[in-house]
Amino acid sequence: MKAYNFKELEKKWSPVWENMGLYKTGDDPEKTNFYCLDYFPYPSGAGLSVGHCRNYIPTDVICRKKRMDGHNVLHPMGWDAFGQPAEEYAIKTGMHPVEVTRVNTENYKRQMKLFEAGYDWEREINSSHPDYYKWTQYFFLMLYDKGLAYQSDNFQMYCPSCRIVLSNEESAGGICWRCSGEVVKKRLPQWYLKITEYADRLLEELDDLDWPENIKAMQRNWIGRSHGAEVVFSIETEKDGVIKLPVYTTRIDTIFGATFCVLAPEHPELPGITTEKYKKDVEQYVKASGAKTDLERLVASEKGKTGIFTGAFATNPFNGEKVPIWTADYVLAGYGTAAIMAVPAHDERDHAFAKKYDLPIIEVIAPDGIPQGVEDEATVADGELINSGQFSGLNSEESREVMAAYAESNRFGKAETRYRIRDWLVSRQRYWGAPIPIIHCEKCGAVPDRNLPVVLPDVESYEPDDSGRSPLAACQDWVNTTCPKCGMPAKRETSTMAGFACSSWYFLRFASPNCTDAPFDMEEVKKWLPVDLYVGGAEHAVMHLIYARFWTKVMFDAGMLDFTEPFTCLKNQGMLISFDHQKMSNSKGNVITPDELVVKYGADALRLYIIFMGPFEAEIEWSEEGLAGTYRFVKRVWNLFLDTAELEEIETDKAFDKELRYELARTVKKVTKDIDGFQFNTGVAAMMEFLNFLSVNRGKASSSAVTWRKVQKEFLTILAPAAPFVTDELWHMLGFGEENDTIHTQKWPEWVEKDLEKDTVEIVVQIKGKIRGRISVPADASRESIEQMALGLEKVQDYLKGAVPKRVIVVPGRLVNIIG
RNA sequence: GCCGGAGUGGCGGAAUGGCAGACGCGACGGACUCAAAAUCCGUUACCUUUCGAGGUGUGAGGGUUCAAGUCCCUCCUCCGGUACCA
């Protein structure tokens, strides 16, 4: 018998499949289309790790099965080549980004082929190619034309270590998404996209998506919609007379308990309202808190909030009370109106502040109208309003509506919805990105350059610096141009777009990657989109995934698409933990590559192990030992099937023949459901069980030739998506395939329900829930007969000692439970 | 704090409310071998045992049920996210 040699099989079959175009996107009009997409990777120098395999191998298995199920499958791959990660790598190695991209994408592609990830390489795309980024620029201008792209020099997050401005999403928690360093605030003119305009739709349209709950929760959280009210307090100033101070609150029901107001140190009115007497101290405080990062502020305030009185007072429009105005950095400049009414009785932060500075605390919300006392602790729960003038006696919920309406009719406030999400800062003072296609003209202002692509010039020096200037600014030939509008000399915008702009529409490009007169062919997009299955890591929950949803909605509004959500079903593979107990990642240098494993165990064993090692979504610690197990499994399949290839007609054991059919049908059913349901691990286990069954019964019992042929054929077929090499080889060796044929285009087997029917079933007999015996009964036995048989057991008789049982529960096909 | 998820053998993990630990790894014992590797066969939750079996076990404590890893309540721990958002 021929020995199993995976190297030989891989060398033989890979080119065969490539030549027959096995992975080419299907276009049979009779079949339904299935678009499966893997997050397109940024090509890093470290290459693919086994962590990437947990993404690409399961989707490959799914796609192979979908093809066998009779679908046209689109499973493309491309490169997220522009942007910070690729550029950081180029800077680190001193290689030009173009060269880095070329070398790394080649390596990725080679590795993907190592474990036979079946992509349609005719549709390969690269976001750093002018053919592609021309359209990224096109979308930027579309956003610009719709008033959804604008320039502003608000405060931005800046990572001093990466020397780059970051979007809010990229700097969540005050930490840079790339280097995990602390970010600082900076002010530079930057380009923003108005994602906030889509906040409601981004929030509401999440509900119907087949996405993991945690990702949806993260997006909801990030969008952070809150319903509240804006109320205008008035301030009598020394110089400017009465000015208005709008505050935002979600608890207007507590407004009679407002005993002071607090402005963020950055609040624009602060200098104006501060009285002479307090000016010096306030200025000093503002300066001190401005020097701190948000993170430092938070850490400092955990030890005790700080703030300072301004000398000014504000009048509460609800009760005419004058309350002191303070400034404190626990109030954030970037949210609401940067000013709050402080209600120490019913807000923990205000309570802490009032305690520290000895400010009054007035209880205005009481459960069932009974005051609880709020000196020691704030009560934040809803309740009944007390000490609240005409509103006393109402409950919190209704009063919020009533009081907002009251404020509106008296013109000192209104109900208002606020969001946490900020507009998307999309410009970067970086070389390696799509240039923002804008020309600045002294006369005409910012003018779109519609002569696309605006090609990224080739430059020698592309390293960023702290100046806030793009490396492109030094490229005079490129910067100096003429205004498309008036023809006068003008200068190009030197910022490029963040990498996340490129990935906000790439899934559309795959439908027609070579389209030259539009970003995509609408007919092709109609055929394939939205993406049926999108698979990648969870780390892009509030970056890529929210940006892509935003762009899709904008395109829908522009009439370019007939759907508003790009990804119908999303799955996140679990992280792989490396030997150092940290997430396996290029930046941590703890990466294990598939290369060495394929050499040692073969692609089939690696593929099986990757899907067998645990549930798809679970975080798992990498261990190579388990890989020996799937390697043994593949080898056992090989040996057993070749060993039993030649069938001699011997006497058939009818009972075994039936049992064999039963086990086969059970396995086919289980594997079918498990692959469809992303439960690959138990699917593989089922195939192992079946092989064990065959192994144990080999030589002990014989089936009919027809059944055995069916077993060989169907077992190989259901194993084929996970182990493509060994199955195709055996398929041919056992004589199922023609010369130019492959198992991978065979029809997925269907199980016969009738085969799953059994003549007799084993039933567990319990006494008071404890197992005391088993009986074998006909599958169609009646409850009564099962009960009689169970009661007849010696153990049961001993237990009952002749008495009549109190109760007998019979679950046909499962168990009998006797309660004495 | 808030949101999401998870706690089951030595390990990764299985279990439509119905036989807990499938499958795999590791370990132990045996066969084959001069020997080893590979392969094959067996054992492998814990305690007791007269070897028939008996008892205990799914983070903790309550509850519902004939029956709970699974459902409900109260906690604890871990992972991920987020956090002075008014």
Side-chain angles (χ1 to χ4, degrees):
Chain A
M1 189 179 72
K2 202 164 178 254
Y4 173 60
N5 179 339
F6 57 81
K7 280 183 192 145
E8 211 173 272
L9 302 190
E10 286 163 21
K11 215 169 128 191
K12 171 180 169 186
W13 285 105
S14 269
V16 170
W17 296 329
E18 193 166 339
N19 287 339
M20 61 172 71
L22 185 59
Y23 310 125
K24 255 185 79 171
T25 306
D27 60 355
D28 183 343
E30 301 290 303
K31 295 178 174 176
T32 54
N33 293 337
F34 182 77
Y35 183 3
C36 173
L37 182 63
D38 304 337
Y39 284 17
F40 74 157
Y42 66 87
S44 119
L48 292 177
S49 72
V50 280
H52 290 94
C53 294
R54 285 197 81 194
N55 185 165
Y56 305 147
I57 290 173
T59 53
D60 186 56
V61 170
I62 292 269
C63 287
R64 284 167 189 271
K65 174 170 182 294
K66 283 283 177 189
R67 282 188 206 105
M68 296 167 98
D69 267 348
H71 290 79
N72 293 318
V73 170
L74 169 57
H75 193 205
M77 180 47 70
W79 316 109
D80 191 9
F82 260 157
Q84 203 186 337
E87 192 181 42
E88 303 288 353
Y89 183 79
I91 291 165
K92 205 173 85 190
T93 56
M95 259 194 327
H96 193 280
V98 173
E99 185 60 8
V100 162
T101 302
R102 194 187 59 75
V103 171
N104 290 348
T105 54
E106 255 170 43
N107 186 41
Y108 268 44
K109 206 164 159 179
R110 178 192 62 81
Q111 286 183 296
M112 287 168 177
K113 287 181 176 177
L114 271 184
F115 52 86
E116 202 61 25
Y119 297 111
D120 181 354
W121 290 109
E122 285 174 21
R123 296 192 183 226
E124 179 178 356
I125 62 174
N126 182 322
S127 66
S128 69
H129 285 179
D131 297 353
Y132 182 92
Y133 70 70
K134 169 182 180 177
W135 302 111
T136 309
Q137 293 172 332
Y138 169 91
F139 286 121
F140 180 90
L141 291 184
M142 191 175 105
L143 287 153
Y144 180 81
D145 292 338
K146 290 180 175 299
L148 293 169
Y150 65 94
Q151 248 185 320
S152 157
D153 64 348
N154 243 321
F155 280 106
Q156 295 110 25
M157 298 302 172
Y158 180 82
C159 174
S161 124
C162 294
R163 296 176 291 186
I164 194 167
V165 289
L166 299 169
S167 70
N168 271 37
E169 289 76 19
E170 290 164 331
S171 59
I175 299 293
C176 169
W177 72 297
R178 288 292 303 155
C179 73
S180 302
E182 219 175 291
V183 299
V184 298
K185 277 187 180 156
K186 249 199 174 176
R187 268 185 116 130
L188 292 164
Q190 296 288 353
W191 286 92
Y192 291 84
L193 300 182
K194 269 193 197 164
I195 194 169
T196 51
E197 198 135 295
Y198 283 75
D200 273 318
R201 286 164 67 187
L202 286 168
L203 182 68
E204 278 154 19
E205 288 167 26
L206 268 177
D207 292 348
D208 297 330
L209 295 177
D210 180 10
W211 282 26
E213 248 346 283
N214 62 325
I215 303 285
K216 289 208 226 180
M218 278 156 81
Q219 291 211 354
R220 287 193 187 106
N221 212 319
W222 189 256
I223 294 163
R225 181 163 74 184
S226 73
H227 297 290
E230 193 175 290
V231 180
V232 181
F233 282 57
S234 49
I235 310 169
E236 270 177 58
T237 61
E238 288 174 339
K239 287 177 288 208
D240 306 324
V242 177
I243 67 160
K244 288 178 173 175
L245 176 71
V247 302
Y248 178 71
T249 177
T250 53
R251 293 297 305 272
I252 194 172
D253 54 314
T254 65
I255 198 164
F256 282 79
T259 54
F260 57 103
C261 283
V262 187
L263 306 192
E266 294 87 352
H267 196 286
E269 304 283 8
L270 185 60
I273 62 161
T274 304
T275 59
E276 269 319 309
K277 188 176 164 198
Y278 294 92
K279 201 150 208 119
K280 237 187 172 156
D281 292 343
V282 169
E283 273 169 12
Q284 203 177 2
Y285 182 79
V286 170
K287 209 175 151 194
S289 56
K292 286 188 238 167
T293 65
D294 282 3
L295 216 61
E296 285 166 345
R297 280 192 187 185
L298 183 58
V299 170
S301 80
E302 262 159 23
K303 292 180 202 140
K305 301 196 185 316
T306 60
I308 192 155
F309 181 47
T310 63
F313 288 83
T315 306
N316 181 340
F318 271 86
N319 58 11
E321 300 258 338
K322 280 195 174 178
V323 296
I325 303 175
W326 288 60
T327 181
D329 60 12
Y330 81 91
V331 173
L332 304 177
Y335 186 78
T337 59
I340 61 157
M341 62 170 202
V343 184
H346 306 295
D347 181 283
E348 282 166 11
R349 295 151 305 178
D350 297 344
H351 193 273
F353 195 80
K355 275 293 196 191
K356 179 163 178 187
Y357 294 104
D358 206 17
L359 293 156
I361 301 172
I362 303 172
E363 189 171 10
V364 293
I365 303 289
D368 304 316
I370 304 154
Q372 304 292 299
V374 287
E375 265 313 304
D376 297 332
E377 214 179 356
T379 59
V380 295
D382 279 359
E384 188 182 314
L385 273 67
I386 57 170
N387 304 325
S388 298
Q390 59 182 291
F391 304 101
S392 294
L394 294 177
N395 69 45
S396 293
E397 207 177 318
E398 59 186 334
S399 72
R400 285 196 280 264
E401 239 169 83
V402 171
M403 293 169 90
Y406 177 82
E408 182 155 17
S409 61
N410 289 283
R411 296 172 187 228
F412 55 71
K414 60 176 188 302
E416 192 157 302
T417 302
R418 297 257 171 187
Y419 303 87
R420 250 184 48 160
I421 192 170
R422 296 278 92 94
D423 278 340
W424 172 15
L425 195 179
V426 75
S427 55
R428 298 288 181 274
Q429 287 64 57
R430 286 295 190 120
Y431 171 67
W432 194 235
I436 290 178
I438 293 284
I439 291 169
H440 297 283
C441 168
E442 273 192 24
K443 199 173 120 208
C444 310
V447 180
D449 183 355
R450 299 192 194 276
N451 185 20
L452 302 180
V454 174
V455 178
L456 185 67
D458 193 10
V459 299
E460 293 269 307
S461 157
Y462 46 82
E463 215 172 310
D465 59 31
D466 289 321
S467 68
R469 267 162 44 109
S470 163
L472 287 175
C475 200
Q476 289 299 319
D477 289 352
W478 183 82
V479 170
N480 291 311
T481 183
T482 51
C483 172
K485 222 168 168 181
C486 68
M488 296 294 283
K491 286 185 191 296
R492 289 194 179 280
E493 167 70 48
T494 56
S495 302
T496 55
M497 279 183 256
F500 285 117
C502 308
S503 54
S504 291
W505 72 281
Y506 81 103
F507 44 92
L508 297 163
R509 185 70 180 169
F510 280 129
S512 50
N514 302 311
C515 188
T516 51
D517 57 352
F520 48 79
D521 180 325
M522 282 190 158
E523 283 307 307
E524 290 299 313
V525 164
K526 268 207 181 109
K527 258 170 50 189
W528 292 106
L529 276 284
V531 175
D532 295 291
L533 176 65
Y534 195 27
V535 181
E539 66 273 14
H540 287 301
V542 290
M543 292 193 277
H544 162 60
L545 286 172
I546 208 159
Y547 299 144
R549 294 182 63 223
F550 164 46
W551 279 37
T552 301
K553 288 175 201 303
V554 173
M555 289 180 213
F556 171 82
D557 290 349
M560 299 175 76
L561 302 174
D562 60 0
F563 53 89
T564 62
E565 286 293 337
F567 315 121
T568 310
C569 173
L570 175 75
K571 302 263 183 207
N572 301 123
Q573 79 272 15
M575 271 197 305
L576 211 48
I577 305 300
S578 194
F579 48 82
D580 57 357
H581 305 292
Q582 284 192 296
K583 184 191 168 177
M584 195 180 286
S585 81
N586 295 333
S587 54
K588 296 203 173 83
N590 57 6
V591 161
I592 291 153
T593 68
D595 304 45
E596 47 192 300
L597 302 172
V598 168
V599 168
K600 225 160 137 186
Y601 302 94
D604 283 340
L606 175 65
R607 292 169 60 98
L608 277 163
Y609 182 58
I610 289 289
I611 61 175
F612 177 67
M613 59 199 278
F616 173 78
E617 297 89 352
E619 176 181 299
I620 293 176
E621 205 156 322
W622 171 257
S623 109
E624 199 183 304
E625 276 150 4
L627 191 43
T630 51
Y631 174 70
R632 274 197 279 269
F633 170 67
V634 174
K635 214 152 104 176
R636 286 179 67 209
V637 170
W638 175 271
N639 290 338
L640 186 134
F641 276 59
L642 288 186
D643 211 26
T644 53
E646 301 300 323
L647 280 168
E648 293 159 48
E649 271 302 342
I650 45 171
E651 204 180 330
T652 304
D653 174 345
K654 283 264 168 61
F656 176 70
D657 199 73
K658 195 172 161 57
E659 196 183 347
L660 182 56
R661 283 178 165 272
Y662 172 86
E663 291 299 333
L664 177 67
R666 198 174 69 99
T667 306
V668 170
K669 181 175 180 175
K670 175 88 177 138
V671 172
T672 303
K673 291 190 181 276
D674 281 353
I675 294 180
D676 290 344
F678 259 75
Q679 320 239 283
F680 307 101
N681 55 332
T682 49
V684 174
M687 291 191 275
M688 288 173 165
E689 267 178 86
F690 186 65
L691 186 73
N692 289 344
F693 171 82
L694 295 180
S695 228
V696 165
N697 290 289
R698 179 154 50 158
K700 280 196 231 161
S702 63
S703 65
S704 69
V706 174
T707 304
W708 184 243
R709 214 49 193 156
K710 186 175 158 75
V711 165
Q712 291 177 320
K713 190 171 175 181
E714 294 190 4
F715 182 76
L716 288 178
T717 312
I718 60 173
L719 178 58
F725 292 101
V726 72
T727 49
D728 215 0
E729 181 70 12
L730 285 172
W731 179 260
H732 284 82
M733 287 177 88
L734 296 178
F736 290 109
E738 303 294 321
E739 182 80 16
N740 301 312
D741 197 4
T742 168
I743 191 171
H744 302 297
T745 53
Q746 300 305 309
K747 204 171 166 306
W748 187 261
E750 280 172 32
W751 66 92
V752 183
E753 277 298 332
K754 203 168 151 284
D755 286 346
L756 289 169
E757 287 166 12
K758 281 195 154 184
D759 292 342
T760 57
V761 289
E762 189 177 74
I763 285 194
V764 168
V765 179
Q766 297 181 331
I767 295 171
K768 277 168 81 177
K770 288 200 187 297
I771 298 150
R772 297 299 170 186
R774 287 153 208 281
I775 49 175
S776 188
V777 304
D780 56 358
S782 67
R783 283 170 175 274
E784 290 73 25
S785 63
I786 294 170
E787 181 173 336
Q788 284 315 309
M789 281 185 73
L791 290 174
L793 277 184
E794 200 179 319
K795 277 218 163 161
V796 175
Q797 297 277 321
D798 287 353
Y799 171 75
L800 288 173
K801 295 194 188 88
V804 179
K806 271 189 207 141
R807 209 176 148 188
V808 180
I809 287 120
V810 181
V811 184
R814 291 203 181 269
L815 55 71
V816 178
N817 192 5
I818 297 159
I819 296 99

